[in-house]
Amino acid sequence: MSDKIDLYSDRGVLLKSDVDLSAVSPLKNAAMQRLISLTKRTVAVNLAGVEGALKTGKVAGGRRQIKGRELNYDVVANAGALAEKIKTLLQVAPGDDTNVQILGGGKQLLVQVPTARVNAASEFVVGLTGAASATVEALIQQFKVGIVEAPMVHASVWGEYPQTVGMNGGNVASVLNIPQNDEGLGFALRNVMANHLAMITKRNAMNAAALASIYEQIGEMEMGNAMGIFERHQLLGMAYQGLNANNMVYETVKANGKTGTIGTVVQSIVGKALEDKVIKAGKKLPSGYVMYEANDVSKWNAYAAAGVLAATMVNCGSLRGAQAVSSTLLYFNDIIEKETALPGCDFGRVMGTAVGFSFFSHSIYGGGGPGVFNGNHVVTRHSRGFAIPCVAAAVALDAGTQMFTPEMTSGLVGAIYGEIKEFREPIVSVAEAV
């Protein structure tokens, strides 16, 4: 891979120039590797939720409440002592990378299990299970919980587990879903809903798209879709769409932001591709219609990927609503294919994804807003990493139009993971690690 790119921030500021494409690969970039590690190690513990569950007897989610089993423990007030106990329990060796931070005045804990525990596990759930079990043990020690009361403490932390594997109603959360919910091999990092991504990045649309793109493309590598010539193909798409390579997304949005439409973004991208000699005019039909040809198919895909994100930000940004993202994914690609006679982003997979997505997010079915979707969802899994970054950006730009808002579904996850720079500012973090 001899490609060179310039990396720009979400504000259009040059961060690094003349960067080898391979330097932003998850296989080499230290910031991405740290992001993967922290994703598996970092867990949110909701101490305020634990306290409320114990005081009311409402555990395991739904309408479940066990009268007569209420426990009046001042969990939040004892956050400092509990944090120390949890760290001691999780620590493998003195001075290792175990980390427990108190947030929100004691209402939440950021817990990072040590790397040694992750290395000694076959699955990423060790962060979730380690934090949950340490929290239960710390509560038992701190409040001298007896054998009769201990099950309620367990339920307040673990939720419905082990009756169900999803920890429904629990007060420990990871950005990763449980393995049983993955659609297939390699989907774990694609199983992060767009609302989470928006809240983690503090509703910064470009950083939300970047975090989504990194997760999606790591997933593509993990599931075997980025081998051989496809490695360059996927990395180019991630660089231009997710990491704002050559400032393409930023400049396109800026040029079309005030009065632009999906169609004008198509014009910008096609014009840029012609200027950069990524595509060229080919056969001209009797009608005058010109069929373009790609000099570099993978780079054309990268330009289209940047374009569909820019179109999303222009369209959903002007609407202040995420619901238009599926139609933007559809019609940007439909128009660009008619304009050039070349395949749209991801060889039509983004456009195909958008058809089902429109139906399931807010059409006749209306099962949920765009924010609850992810790259593992049966409706949106089909694109190879180029659809969900647009969904994350759209959700970040949404002004509260969704039935399931990011604040409702992802407040705890956003508060915890948003404290870590690699999650909150992925574009800058990746550039700094080049």
Coordinates of all heavy atoms in Angstrom, one line a residue, residues 222-303:
E222 N -11.6 -8.4 11.5 CA -11.8 -9.5 12.4 C -12.6 -10.6 11.7 O -12.3 -11.8 11.9 CB -12.5 -9.1 13.7 CG -12.5 -10.1 14.8 CD -13.0 -9.5 16.1 OE1 -13.3 -8.3 16.2 OE2 -13.1 -10.3 17.0
M223 N -13.5 -10.2 10.9 CA -14.4 -11.2 10.2 C -13.8 -11.7 8.9 O -14.4 -12.5 8.2 CB -15.8 -10.7 10.1 CG -16.0 -9.5 9.2 SD -17.7 -8.9 9.2 CE -18.0 -8.5 10.8
G224 N -12.6 -11.2 8.5 CA -12.0 -11.7 7.3 C -12.3 -11.0 6.0 O -12.0 -11.5 4.9
N225 N -12.9 -9.8 6.1 CA -13.3 -9.1 4.9 C -12.2 -8.1 4.4 O -12.5 -7.3 3.5 CB -14.6 -8.3 5.1 CG -15.8 -9.2 5.2 OD1 -15.7 -10.3 4.6 ND2 -16.9 -8.7 5.8
A226 N -11.1 -8.1 5.0 CA -10.0 -7.1 4.7 C -8.7 -7.8 4.4 O -7.6 -7.4 4.8 CB -9.8 -6.0 5.8
M227 N -8.8 -8.9 3.6 CA -7.6 -9.6 3.3 C -7.1 -9.3 1.9 O -7.9 -9.1 1.0 CB -7.8 -11.1 3.5 CG -6.6 -12.0 3.5 SD -5.5 -11.6 4.9 CE -6.5 -12.1 6.3
G228 N -5.8 -9.3 1.7 CA -5.3 -9.1 0.3 C -5.6 -7.7 -0.2 O -5.5 -6.7 0.5
I229 N -6.1 -7.6 -1.4 CA -6.4 -6.3 -2.0 C -7.5 -5.6 -1.3 O -7.7 -4.4 -1.4 CB -6.8 -6.5 -3.5 CG1 -8.1 -7.3 -3.7 CG2 -5.7 -7.0 -4.3 CD1 -8.6 -7.3 -5.1
F230 N -8.4 -6.4 -0.5 CA -9.5 -5.7 0.2 C -9.0 -5.0 1.4 O -9.7 -4.1 1.9 CB -10.5 -6.8 0.6 CG -11.2 -7.4 -0.6 CD1 -10.8 -8.7 -1.0 CD2 -12.1 -6.8 -1.3 CE1 -11.4 -9.3 -2.1 CE2 -12.7 -7.3 -2.4 CZ -12.4 -8.6 -2.8
E231 N -7.7 -5.2 1.9 CA -7.2 -4.5 3.0 C -7.1 -3.0 2.6 O -7.5 -2.1 3.4 CB -5.9 -5.0 3.5 CG -5.3 -4.3 4.7 CD -4.1 -4.9 5.3 OE1 -3.5 -5.9 4.6 OE2 -3.6 -4.5 6.3
R232 N -6.5 -2.7 1.5 CA -6.3 -1.3 1.1 C -7.7 -0.7 0.8 O -7.9 0.4 1.2 CB -5.5 -1.3 -0.2 CG -5.4 0.1 -0.9 CD -4.6 0.1 -2.1 NE -4.5 1.4 -2.7 CZ -5.3 1.8 -3.7 NH1 -6.3 1.0 -4.1 NH2 -5.2 3.1 -4.2
H233 N -8.6 -1.5 0.2 CA -9.9 -1.0 -0.1 C -10.6 -0.5 1.2 O -11.2 0.6 1.2 CB -10.7 -2.1 -0.7 CG -12.1 -1.7 -1.1 ND1 -12.4 -1.1 -2.3 CD2 -13.3 -1.9 -0.5 CE1 -13.7 -0.9 -2.4 NE2 -14.3 -1.4 -1.3
Q234 N -10.6 -1.3 2.2 CA -11.3 -1.0 3.5 C -10.6 0.2 4.2 O -11.2 1.1 4.7 CB -11.3 -2.2 4.4 CG -12.2 -3.3 3.9 CD -13.6 -3.0 3.7 OE1 -14.2 -3.4 2.7 NE2 -14.2 -2.3 4.6
L235 N -9.2 0.2 4.2 CA -8.5 1.2 4.9 C -8.7 2.6 4.2 O -8.8 3.6 4.9 CB -7.0 0.9 5.0 CG -6.6 -0.2 5.9 CD1 -5.1 -0.5 5.9 CD2 -7.0 0.1 7.4
L236 N -8.7 2.6 2.9 CA -9.0 3.9 2.2 C -10.3 4.4 2.5 O -10.5 5.6 2.8 CB -8.9 3.6 0.7 CG -7.5 3.7 0.0 CD1 -7.6 3.3 -1.4 CD2 -6.9 5.1 0.1
G237 N -11.3 3.5 2.6 CA -12.7 4.0 2.9 C -12.7 4.5 4.4 O -13.3 5.6 4.6
M238 N -12.1 3.9 5.3 CA -12.0 4.4 6.7 C -11.3 5.7 6.8 O -11.7 6.6 7.5 CB -11.3 3.3 7.6 CG -11.2 3.8 9.0 SD -10.3 2.7 10.1 CE -8.7 2.8 9.4
A239 N -10.2 5.8 6.1 CA -9.4 7.0 6.1 C -10.2 8.2 5.6 O -10.2 9.3 6.3 CB -8.1 6.9 5.3
Y240 N -10.8 8.1 4.4 CA -11.5 9.2 3.8 C -12.8 9.5 4.5 O -13.2 10.7 4.7 CB -11.7 9.0 2.3 CG -10.5 9.3 1.5 CD1 -9.5 8.3 1.3 CD2 -10.2 10.6 1.0 CE1 -8.3 8.6 0.5 CE2 -9.1 10.9 0.3 CZ -8.2 9.9 0.0 OH -7.0 10.2 -0.7
Q241 N -13.5 8.5 4.9 CA -14.8 8.7 5.5 C -14.7 9.0 7.0 O -15.2 10.0 7.5 CB -15.7 7.5 5.3 CG -17.1 7.7 5.9 CD -18.0 6.4 5.8 OE1 -17.6 5.4 6.4 NE2 -19.1 6.5 5.1
G242 N -14.0 8.1 7.7 CA -13.9 8.3 9.2 C -12.9 9.2 9.7 O -13.1 9.9 10.7
L243 N -11.7 9.3 9.1 CA -10.6 10.1 9.6 C -10.4 11.4 8.9 O -9.4 12.0 9.1 CB -9.3 9.2 9.6 CG -9.4 7.9 10.4 CD1 -8.1 7.2 10.2 CD2 -9.7 8.2 11.8
N244 N -11.4 11.8 8.0 CA -11.3 13.0 7.3 C -10.0 13.2 6.5 O -9.4 14.3 6.5 CB -11.5 14.2 8.3 CG -11.7 15.5 7.6 OD1 -12.3 15.6 6.5 ND2 -11.3 16.6 8.2
A245 N -9.5 12.1 5.9 CA -8.3 12.2 5.1 C -8.4 13.3 4.0 O -9.5 13.4 3.4 CB -8.0 10.9 4.4
N246 N -7.4 14.0 3.9 CA -7.3 15.1 2.9 C -8.4 16.2 3.1 O -8.7 16.9 2.2 CB -7.3 14.6 1.4 CG -6.1 13.7 1.1 OD1 -5.2 13.6 1.9 ND2 -6.1 13.1 0.0
N247 N -9.0 16.2 4.3 CA -10.0 17.2 4.7 C -11.2 17.1 3.8 O -12.0 18.1 3.7 CB -9.4 18.6 4.6 CG -10.1 19.5 5.7 OD1 -10.6 19.1 6.7 ND2 -10.0 20.8 5.4
M248 N -11.5 15.9 3.1 CA -12.5 15.9 2.1 C -13.9 16.0 2.8 O -14.8 16.8 2.2 CB -12.4 14.5 1.4 CG -13.4 14.5 0.2 SD -13.2 13.0 -0.8 CE -11.6 13.4 -1.5
V249 N -14.2 15.3 3.9 CA -15.5 15.4 4.5 C -15.8 16.9 5.0 O -16.8 17.4 4.7 CB -15.7 14.4 5.6 CG1 -17.0 14.7 6.4 CG2 -15.6 13.0 5.1
Y250 N -14.8 17.4 5.7 CA -15.0 18.8 6.2 C -15.2 19.8 5.1 O -16.1 20.6 5.2 CB -13.7 19.1 7.1 CG -13.8 20.5 7.7 CD1 -14.4 20.7 9.0 CD2 -13.4 21.7 7.0 CE1 -14.4 21.9 9.6 CE2 -13.4 22.9 7.6 CZ -14.0 23.0 8.9 OH -14.1 24.3 9.5
E251 N -14.4 19.8 4.1 CA -14.5 20.8 3.0 C -15.8 20.6 2.3 O -16.4 21.6 1.9 CB -13.3 20.6 2.1 CG -12.0 21.2 2.7 CD -10.8 21.1 1.7 OE1 -11.0 20.4 0.7 OE2 -9.8 21.8 1.9
T252 N -16.2 19.4 2.1 CA -17.5 19.1 1.3 C -18.6 19.6 2.1 O -19.6 20.3 1.6 CB -17.6 17.6 1.0 OG1 -16.5 17.2 0.3 CG2 -18.8 17.4 0.1
V253 N -18.7 19.4 3.4 CA -19.8 19.9 4.3 C -19.7 21.4 4.3 O -20.8 22.0 4.2 CB -19.7 19.3 5.7 CG1 -20.7 19.9 6.6 CG2 -19.8 17.8 5.7
K254 N -18.6 22.0 4.4 CA -18.5 23.4 4.5 C -19.0 24.1 3.2 O -19.7 25.1 3.2 CB -17.0 23.8 4.8 CG -16.8 25.3 5.0 CD -15.4 25.6 5.4 CE -15.2 27.1 5.7 NZ -13.8 27.4 6.1
A255 N -18.6 23.5 2.1 CA -19.0 24.0 0.8 C -20.5 23.9 0.5 O -21.1 24.7 -0.2 CB -18.2 23.3 -0.3
N256 N -21.1 22.9 1.1 CA -22.5 22.6 0.9 C -23.4 22.9 2.1 O -24.7 22.8 2.0 CB -22.7 21.2 0.4 CG -22.1 20.9 -0.9 OD1 -22.7 21.0 -1.9 ND2 -20.9 20.4 -0.9
G257 N -22.8 23.4 3.1 CA -23.6 23.5 4.4 C -24.7 24.5 4.4 O -25.8 24.2 5.0
K258 N -24.6 25.6 3.8 CA -25.6 26.7 3.9 C -26.8 26.4 3.0 O -27.9 26.5 3.4 CB -25.0 28.0 3.6 CG -24.1 28.6 4.7 CD -23.6 30.0 4.4 CE -22.8 30.5 5.6 NZ -22.3 31.9 5.3
T259 N -26.5 26.1 1.7 CA -27.6 26.0 0.8 C -27.6 24.6 0.0 O -28.4 24.5 -0.9 CB -27.6 27.1 -0.3 OG1 -26.3 27.0 -0.9 CG2 -27.7 28.5 0.4
G260 N -26.7 23.7 0.4 CA -26.6 22.5 -0.3 C -27.6 21.5 -0.1 O -28.4 21.6 0.8
T261 N -27.6 20.4 -0.9 CA -28.5 19.3 -0.8 C -27.7 18.0 -1.1 O -26.5 18.1 -1.4 CB -29.6 19.4 -1.9 OG1 -29.0 19.3 -3.2 CG2 -30.4 20.7 -1.8
I262 N -28.4 16.9 -1.0 CA -27.7 15.6 -1.4 C -27.2 15.7 -2.8 O -26.0 15.3 -3.1 CB -28.7 14.5 -1.3 CG1 -29.2 14.3 0.2 CG2 -28.1 13.2 -1.8 CD1 -30.3 13.2 0.3
G263 N -27.9 16.3 -3.7 CA -27.5 16.4 -5.1 C -26.2 17.3 -5.3 O -25.3 17.0 -6.1
T264 N -26.1 18.4 -4.5 CA -24.9 19.3 -4.7 C -23.7 18.6 -4.1 O -22.6 18.8 -4.5 CB -25.2 20.6 -4.0 OG1 -25.3 20.5 -2.6 CG2 -26.3 21.4 -4.6
V265 N -23.9 17.7 -3.0 CA -22.8 17.0 -2.5 C -22.3 16.0 -3.5 O -21.1 15.8 -3.7 CB -23.2 16.3 -1.2 CG1 -22.0 15.4 -0.7 CG2 -23.5 17.3 -0.1
V266 N -23.2 15.4 -4.2 CA -22.8 14.5 -5.4 C -22.0 15.2 -6.4 O -20.9 14.7 -6.8 CB -24.1 13.9 -6.0 CG1 -23.7 13.2 -7.3 CG2 -24.8 12.9 -5.1
Q267 N -22.4 16.4 -6.7 CA -21.6 17.2 -7.7 C -20.2 17.5 -7.1 O -19.2 17.4 -7.9 CB -22.3 18.6 -7.9 CG -23.6 18.4 -8.7 CD -24.3 19.8 -8.9 OE1 -24.4 20.6 -8.0 NE2 -24.8 20.0 -10.1
S268 N -20.1 17.9 -5.8 CA -18.8 18.1 -5.2 C -17.9 16.9 -5.3 O -16.7 17.0 -5.6 CB -19.0 18.6 -3.8 OG -19.7 19.8 -3.7
I269 N -18.4 15.8 -5.0 CA -17.6 14.5 -4.9 C -17.2 14.1 -6.3 O -16.0 13.8 -6.5 CB -18.4 13.4 -4.2 CG1 -18.5 13.8 -2.7 CG2 -17.6 12.1 -4.4 CD1 -17.3 13.9 -1.9
V270 N -18.1 14.2 -7.3 CA -17.7 13.8 -8.6 C -16.7 14.8 -9.2 O -15.7 14.4 -9.9 CB -19.0 13.7 -9.5 CG1 -18.6 13.5 -11.0 CG2 -19.9 12.6 -9.1
G271 N -16.9 16.1 -8.9 CA -15.9 17.1 -9.4 C -14.5 16.8 -8.8 O -13.5 16.9 -9.5
K272 N -14.5 16.5 -7.5 CA -13.2 16.2 -6.8 C -12.6 15.0 -7.4 O -11.3 15.0 -7.6 CB -13.5 16.1 -5.3 CG -12.3 15.9 -4.5 CD -11.4 17.1 -4.4 CE -10.2 16.9 -3.4 NZ -9.2 18.0 -3.6
A273 N -13.3 14.0 -7.6 CA -12.8 12.7 -8.2 C -12.2 12.9 -9.6 O -11.2 12.4 -9.9 CB -13.9 11.6 -8.2
L274 N -12.9 13.8 -10.4 CA -12.3 14.1 -11.7 C -11.1 14.9 -11.6 O -10.1 14.7 -12.3 CB -13.4 14.9 -12.5 CG -14.5 14.1 -13.1 CD1 -15.7 15.0 -13.6 CD2 -14.1 13.2 -14.2
E275 N -11.1 15.9 -10.7 CA -9.9 16.8 -10.5 C -8.7 16.0 -10.0 O -7.6 16.2 -10.5 CB -10.3 17.8 -9.5 CG -9.2 18.8 -9.1 CD -9.6 19.8 -8.0 OE1 -10.8 20.0 -7.8 OE2 -8.7 20.2 -7.3
D276 N -8.9 15.0 -9.2 CA -7.8 14.2 -8.6 C -7.5 13.0 -9.5 O -6.7 12.2 -9.1 CB -8.2 13.7 -7.2 CG -8.3 14.9 -6.2 OD1 -7.9 16.0 -6.5 OD2 -8.9 14.6 -5.1
K277 N -8.2 12.9 -10.7 CA -7.9 11.8 -11.6 C -8.2 10.4 -11.0 O -7.6 9.4 -11.4 CB -6.5 11.9 -12.2 CG -6.3 13.2 -13.0 CD -4.9 13.2 -13.6 CE -4.7 14.3 -14.6 NZ -5.1 15.7 -14.1
V278 N -9.2 10.4 -10.1 CA -9.6 9.1 -9.6 C -10.5 8.4 -10.6 O -10.6 7.2 -10.7 CB -10.3 9.3 -8.2 CG1 -10.9 8.0 -7.7 CG2 -9.3 9.8 -7.2
I279 N -11.3 9.3 -11.3 CA -12.2 8.8 -12.4 C -11.9 9.6 -13.6 O -11.3 10.7 -13.6 CB -13.7 8.8 -12.0 CG1 -14.1 10.3 -11.7 CG2 -14.0 7.9 -10.8 CD1 -15.6 10.4 -11.5
K280 N -12.4 9.1 -14.7 CA -12.2 9.8 -16.0 C -13.5 9.6 -16.9 O -14.2 8.6 -16.7 CB -11.0 9.4 -16.7 CG -11.0 7.9 -17.2 CD -9.7 7.5 -17.8 CE -9.7 6.0 -18.2 NZ -8.5 5.5 -18.8
A281 N -13.7 10.5 -17.8 CA -14.8 10.4 -18.7 C -14.5 9.2 -19.7 O -13.4 9.0 -20.2 CB -15.0 11.6 -19.5
G282 N -15.6 8.4 -19.9 CA -15.4 7.2 -20.8 C -16.4 7.4 -21.9 O -16.4 8.4 -22.6
K283 N -17.1 6.3 -22.2 CA -18.0 6.3 -23.4 C -19.1 7.3 -23.3 O -19.7 7.5 -22.2 CB -18.6 4.9 -23.5 CG -19.4 4.7 -24.8 CD -20.0 3.3 -24.8 CE -20.8 3.1 -26.1 NZ -21.4 1.7 -26.1
K284 N -19.3 8.0 -24.4 CA -20.4 9.0 -24.5 C -21.5 8.5 -25.3 O -21.3 8.1 -26.5 CB -19.9 10.4 -25.0 CG -20.9 11.5 -25.0 CD -20.3 12.8 -25.4 CE -21.3 14.0 -25.2 NZ -20.6 15.3 -25.6
L285 N -22.7 8.4 -24.8 CA -23.8 7.8 -25.5 C -24.5 8.8 -26.4 O -24.3 10.0 -26.3 CB -24.9 7.3 -24.5 CG -24.4 6.2 -23.5 CD1 -25.5 5.7 -22.6 CD2 -23.7 5.0 -24.2
P286 N -25.3 8.4 -27.4 CA -25.9 9.3 -28.4 C -26.7 10.4 -27.7 O -26.8 11.5 -28.2 CB -26.8 8.4 -29.2 CG -26.1 7.1 -29.1 CD -25.5 7.0 -27.8
S287 N -27.2 10.1 -26.5 CA -28.0 11.1 -25.8 C -27.2 12.2 -25.2 O -27.7 13.3 -24.7 CB -28.8 10.5 -24.6 OG -27.9 9.9 -23.7
G288 N -25.9 12.0 -25.2 CA -24.9 13.0 -24.5 C -24.5 12.5 -23.1 O -23.6 13.1 -22.5
Y289 N -25.1 11.4 -22.6 CA -24.8 10.9 -21.3 C -23.4 10.3 -21.3 O -23.0 9.5 -22.2 CB -25.8 9.8 -20.9 CG -25.5 9.2 -19.6 CD1 -25.9 9.8 -18.4 CD2 -25.0 7.9 -19.5 CE1 -25.7 9.2 -17.2 CE2 -24.8 7.3 -18.3 CZ -25.1 7.9 -17.1 OH -24.9 7.3 -15.9
V290 N -22.6 10.7 -20.4 CA -21.2 10.2 -20.3 C -21.1 9.1 -19.2 O -21.5 9.3 -18.1 CB -20.2 11.4 -19.9 CG1 -18.8 10.9 -19.8 CG2 -20.3 12.5 -21.0
M291 N -20.5 8.0 -19.6 CA -20.2 6.9 -18.6 C -18.8 7.0 -18.2 O -17.9 6.9 -18.9 CB -20.5 5.6 -19.3 CG -21.9 5.4 -19.8 SD -22.2 3.8 -20.6 CE -22.0 2.7 -19.2
Y292 N -18.6 7.3 -16.9 CA -17.3 7.5 -16.3 C -16.6 6.1 -16.0 O -17.3 5.1 -15.8 CB -17.3 8.4 -15.1 CG -17.7 9.8 -15.4 CD1 -19.0 10.2 -15.4 CD2 -16.7 10.7 -15.7 CE1 -19.3 11.6 -15.6 CE2 -17.0 12.0 -15.9 CZ -18.3 12.4 -15.9 OH -18.6 13.8 -16.2
E293 N -15.3 6.2 -16.0 CA -14.5 5.0 -15.6 C -13.6 5.3 -14.4 O -13.2 6.4 -14.3 CB -13.7 4.5 -16.8 CG -14.5 4.2 -18.0 CD -13.6 3.9 -19.3 OE1 -12.3 4.0 -19.1 OE2 -14.1 3.6 -20.3
A294 N -13.4 4.3 -13.6 CA -12.6 4.5 -12.4 C -11.1 4.1 -12.7 O -10.9 3.0 -13.2 CB -13.1 3.7 -11.2
N295 N -10.2 5.1 -12.5 CA -8.8 4.8 -12.6 C -8.3 4.0 -11.4 O -7.3 3.2 -11.5 CB -8.0 6.1 -12.7 CG -8.3 6.8 -14.0 OD1 -8.4 6.2 -15.1 ND2 -8.4 8.1 -13.9
D296 N -9.0 4.2 -10.3 CA -8.7 3.5 -9.0 C -10.0 3.2 -8.3 O -10.6 4.1 -7.7 CB -7.8 4.4 -8.1 CG -7.3 3.6 -6.9 OD1 -7.9 2.7 -6.4 OD2 -6.2 4.0 -6.4
V297 N -10.4 1.9 -8.4 CA -11.7 1.6 -7.9 C -11.9 1.8 -6.4 O -12.9 2.3 -5.9 CB -12.1 0.1 -8.3 CG1 -13.3 -0.4 -7.6 CG2 -12.1 -0.1 -9.8
S298 N -10.8 1.4 -5.7 CA -10.9 1.5 -4.2 C -10.9 3.0 -3.8 O -11.5 3.3 -2.8 CB -9.7 0.7 -3.6 OG -9.9 -0.6 -3.8
K299 N -10.1 3.8 -4.5 CA -10.1 5.2 -4.1 C -11.5 5.9 -4.5 O -11.9 6.7 -3.7 CB -9.0 5.9 -4.8 CG -8.8 7.4 -4.3 CD -7.4 8.0 -4.6 CE -6.4 7.5 -3.7 NZ -5.1 8.2 -3.9
W300 N -12.1 5.5 -5.6 CA -13.4 6.0 -5.9 C -14.4 5.6 -4.8 O -15.2 6.4 -4.4 CB -13.9 5.4 -7.3 CG -15.3 5.5 -7.5 CD1 -16.3 4.5 -7.5 CD2 -16.1 6.8 -7.6 NE1 -17.5 5.1 -7.7 CE2 -17.4 6.4 -7.8 CE3 -15.7 8.1 -7.6 CZ2 -18.4 7.4 -7.9 CZ3 -16.7 9.1 -7.8 CH2 -18.0 8.7 -8.0
N301 N -14.3 4.4 -4.3 CA -15.1 4.0 -3.2 C -14.9 4.9 -2.0 O -15.9 5.2 -1.3 CB -14.9 2.5 -2.8 CG -15.8 2.0 -1.7 OD1 -17.0 1.9 -1.9 ND2 -15.2 1.9 -0.5
A302 N -13.6 5.2 -1.7 CA -13.3 6.0 -0.6 C -13.9 7.4 -0.7 O -14.4 8.0 0.2 CB -11.8 6.1 -0.4
Y303 N -13.9 8.0 -1.9 CA -14.5 9.3 -2.2 C -16.0 9.2 -2.0 O -16.6 10.1 -1.5 CB -14.1 9.7 -3.6 CG -12.8 10.4 -3.8 CD1 -11.6 9.8 -3.2 CD2 -12.6 11.6 -4.5 CE1 -10.4 10.4 -3.4 CE2 -11.4 12.2 -4.7 CZ -10.3 11.6 -4.1 OH -9.0 12.2 -4.2

